[in-house]
Amino acid sequence: MTTRSVILGTGSALPRRCVSNAELAETVDTTDAWIVERTGIRFRYIAGEGETTATLATDAARRALAAAGIAADAVDLIVLATATPDQTFPATATKVQAALGIDDCVAFDVQAVCSGFLYALSVADSMIRTGAARTALVIGAETFSRILDWEDRATCVLFGDGAGAIVLGAEQGSDRGILATRLHADGRHNQLLYVDGGPSTTETVGKVRMRGREVFRHAVVNLAAVMNEVLEQAGVSADAIDWLVPHQANARILDATARKLGLPPEKVVMTVDRHANTSAASVPLALDAAVADGRIRRGDLVVLEAMGGGFTWGASILRY
Ligand code: UT7
């Protein structure tokens, strides 16, 4: 009988401090009107003292475990996607493991920037289907505010901090679970979206740099293509999709990709207005928001997609 990876619970966590566009405009040369018109963003959460990628990830993981009704010690795999780890090493996943009181499990980080959650999901799903794991925590967590250049208005208004998590469990012969996933990377585009530092080059952490207009163009084309690939792989037509849970970078990208698939806006989960772009956290944060408010229900067909620095991009289709 086929083993499938089924989402047993979702959770999320945001920093205490919520910052509006108007508050940002007090220190950055920007306006609420520009940010809303070009991106759809109205608010973002910014981590404060004591809040790190690991603390946000741990809070999100605890909530996902509680929603799934699963004890932490049943977890045998933690895959955490982040581009803003607490330390260069060890993996932030191991900090989450320790905070959850899990003595022994597999725990590691995945680095694919904004597509990190899709990459992490694919790794965990593969390990579950091959029997290497039975119960996995898959987490996307970021504190991008700590790698932003607050003098660069073209990037600093776009990002926020947060974490989202899911518990994935092995189920035999289930009609629910992850049906298909497709991932891509094209390293030729490094200079369109990157961080200008790193341990092996500058011995610093670096700041986010982006040529937004070029990234935008690639995002719309690549996301529409990869969504068509997963639909084809799963043998599902676009009109069967109940919910699209996209990476939350820009409301205009969400609208354009949904249009390309012929999906009405009501089927697109949009949280970019209140969370901004939280990189690897954005898909699981949006997923948890739509599960928590009752929009996504058991049995719904859901497509997740993301694109980010590298470039990396991917999509996954699952029956919730
Ligand atoms: O998560 C990874 C994937 N990332 C993305 O998908 C981001 C993709 N890119 C985008 O979302 C958009 O390109 C941005 C939101 C980043 C920018 O929107 P845009 O419509 O492409 O604007 P632009 O970069 O072409 O800039 C237009 C104008 C420029 O002024 P001039 O040269 O026309 O006079 C900028 O200097 O807007 C100016 N500008 C701003 N003005 C007020 C740039 N940033 C700001 C700002 N406030 N924060």
Side-chain angles (χ1 to χ4, degrees), residues 24 28-35 37-41 113-115 144 152-159 193 210-220 223 247-253 277-280 282 306-309 311-312:
L24 258 195
V28 178
D29 178 19
T30 190
T31 60
D32 173 56
W34 189 94
I35 301 173
E37 189 194 316
R38 301 291 176 125
T39 72
I41 296 166
V113 209
C114 299
S115 331
F144 247 59
D152 176 14
R153 67 177 184 173
T155 53
C156 73
V157 304
L158 304 174
F159 294 92
L193 177 53
M210 177 165 72
R211 291 192 359 224
R213 205 171 275 189
E214 279 106 316
V215 177
F216 192 111
R217 271 201 299 272
H218 282 276
V220 175
L223 289 171
H247 173 47
Q248 309 284 322
N250 185 322
R252 290 188 292 142
I253 298 179
N277 181 347
T278 57
S279 182
S282 94
M307 141 109 188
F311 292 139
T312 58

Side-chain angles (χ1 to χ4, degrees), residues 15-44:
R16 290 180 295 270
R17 180 165 168 241
C18 180
V19 178
S20 68
N21 292 344
E23 188 182 340
L24 258 195
E26 289 169 15
T27 52
V28 178
D29 178 19
T30 190
T31 60
D32 173 56
W34 189 94
I35 301 173
V36 172
E37 189 194 316
R38 301 291 176 125
T39 72
I41 296 166
R42 293 177 187 275
F43 300 96
R44 77 281 295 138

Side-chain angles (χ1 to χ4, degrees), residues 264-285:
E266 313 84 74
K267 289 189 170 184
V268 181
V269 177
M270 171 107 66
T271 51
V272 67
D273 53 337
R274 48 197 160 115
H275 297 159
N277 181 347
T278 57
S279 182
S282 94
V283 168
L285 264 169

